[in-house]
Amino acid sequence: MTKIAIVQEPPVYLNLAGSIERAVGLVARAASEGARLLVFPEAWFPGYPTFAWRLSPGADMGKTDELFALLQANSVDLSRNGMVPLQEAAAEHEMVIVAGYQEVDGEVSGSTLFNSCITIDADGSIANNHRKLMPTNPERMIWGFGDGSGLTVVETAVGRIGALICWESYMPLARFALYAQNIDIYIAPTWDSGETWLATMQHIAREGGCWVVGCATALEVSDIPTDIPHYDILFPNKDEWVNPGDAVVYKPFGGIAAGPMHREKGLLSVEIDVSDARASRRKFDASGHYSRPDIFSLSVDRSHKRPASFT
């Protein structure tokens, strides 16, 4: 049995240094409770840019520019070892960490942000980094498009892990690309919540025959610093739950193992048997005996796309 834990605590909003410090503490806390895998929600470092949904693209462009600049200054640059504190915490506690974060492309543009999900193995090494393929609706004002280089299921100390971010889980071909890599644990960091999203998590557990972990950031207006630009315009209701969280774990082939954790903060923990995933696929294996490769096929380009090449 493997104990996994989901973070349902807010970050230090739009403050990367504070969020990393808080995350390292959460890793230690989860480890003290016996967890071997810890999952952080979508864009947790340094906080999901909910302003994208609360400002209009035209009339509020100046406000968006100001908030984007703050977000950009607090995003993670892997080319400058931006995740080293989390990697060191993973190695110290021999814990696998999957974390949603906002990545600045320091190698090429130095400016464009991506909605990314990193998988850190229990030795502290980066096993995978996936950039969200398609930002959803107004998110395109904030993030660039990812490529297929991170559309990978990786072997970790707790089993084979793959991740899709938020509404990527509505992309049938992206899901199938993970199913076709012998996945044990499907992780879906998200900003979504509620019954419709939970139904999607249940569906994927049944369709993929895998453990499914869904998690959004539990966030109240009271968690957001009052000195961020345009605070009163963005959050007029000071009692609002901006996101209820709804952390959940589904069993392979369906059924809740833990959660949903609604309008609560803390860690959602549960023990799982990773081998249940492969055993459950006797009945239905989307990329195996149910796949019909004589009729259907999928080609995935996992090359890393760069806008410039220098020789």
Side-chain angles (χ1 to χ4, degrees), residues 249-310:
V249 179
Y250 280 95
K251 303 173 186 176
F253 215 64
I256 288 179
M261 190 173 175
H262 184 76
R263 290 193 175 187
E264 295 179 63
K265 294 171 186 171
L267 297 177
L268 179 67
S269 300
V270 64
E271 288 193 342
I272 69 171
D273 185 342
V274 176
S275 67
D276 286 351
R278 300 177 195 189
S280 78
R281 295 197 284 265
R282 181 193 68 79
K283 299 181 285 295
F284 179 92
D285 188 351
S287 63
H289 62 79
Y290 242 86
S291 63
R292 291 303 305 270
D294 54 324
I295 303 173
F296 308 110
S297 65
L298 172 66
S299 176
V300 180
D301 182 352
R302 292 203 305 206
S303 60
H304 186 44
K305 306 300 183 183
R306 293 181 176 273
S309 177
F310 300 94

Side-chain angles (χ1 to χ4, degrees), residues 142-165:
I142 310 298
W143 296 315
F145 291 19
D147 59 29
S149 59
L151 203 60
T152 302
V153 174
V154 291
E155 191 76 47
T156 73
V158 297
R160 295 184 59 77
I161 289 178
L164 292 178
I165 303 166

Side-chain angles (χ1 to χ4, degrees), residues 13-14 48-55 64 67-68 71 142 234:
Y13 196 71
L14 298 188
Y48 181 91
T50 186
F51 59 84
W53 298 87
R54 298 182 178 222
L55 297 175
T64 300
L67 286 156
F68 178 86
L71 181 66
I142 310 298
L234 292 168

Side-chain angles (χ1 to χ4, degrees), residues 20-173:
I20 286 181
E21 183 179 358
R22 182 171 292 178
V24 169
L26 289 166
V27 172
R29 176 178 161 190
S32 72
E33 297 174 6
R36 298 282 323 285
L37 167 66
L38 183 63
V39 180
F40 289 83
E42 178 181 16
W44 196 90
F45 300 86
Y48 181 91
T50 186
F51 59 84
W53 298 87
R54 298 182 178 222
L55 297 175
S56 64
D60 293 324
M61 188 175 294
K63 297 183 182 69
T64 300
D65 287 347
E66 190 175 355
L67 286 156
F68 178 86
L70 178 61
L71 181 66
Q72 186 184 58
N74 283 275
S75 292
V76 177
D77 186 347
L78 290 186
S79 71
R80 296 188 178 185
N81 300 315
M83 277 295 186
V84 163
L86 207 60
Q87 292 175 253
E88 291 174 344
E92 178 184 353
H93 298 287
E94 298 182 339
M95 181 183 293
V96 177
I97 298 173
V98 178
Y101 74 104
Q102 296 180 75
E103 179 185 3
V104 62
D105 181 2
E107 290 187 329
V108 180
S109 76
S111 304
T112 292
L113 303 183
F114 295 93
N115 182 343
S116 298
C117 181
I118 195 167
T119 301
I120 302 170
D121 209 348
D123 62 358
S125 63
I126 296 176
N128 192 40
N129 188 58
H130 170 60
R131 292 174 172 176
K132 191 174 185 179
L133 300 174
M134 177 60 68
T136 301
N137 206 343
E139 292 177 351
R140 293 171 205 172
M141 296 190 296
I142 310 298
W143 296 315
F145 291 19
D147 59 29
S149 59
L151 203 60
T152 302
V153 174
V154 291
E155 191 76 47
T156 73
V158 297
R160 295 184 59 77
I161 289 178
L164 292 178
I165 303 166
C166 202
W167 278 23
E168 285 186 314
S169 286
Y170 290 137
M171 299 172 70
L173 301 185

Side-chain angles (χ1 to χ4, degrees), residues 8 193-194 216-219 241-247 261-264:
Q8 191 154 295
S193 60
T217 300
L219 186 69
W241 272 89
V242 181
N243 194 304
D246 285 350
M261 190 173 175
H262 184 76
R263 290 193 175 187
E264 295 179 63

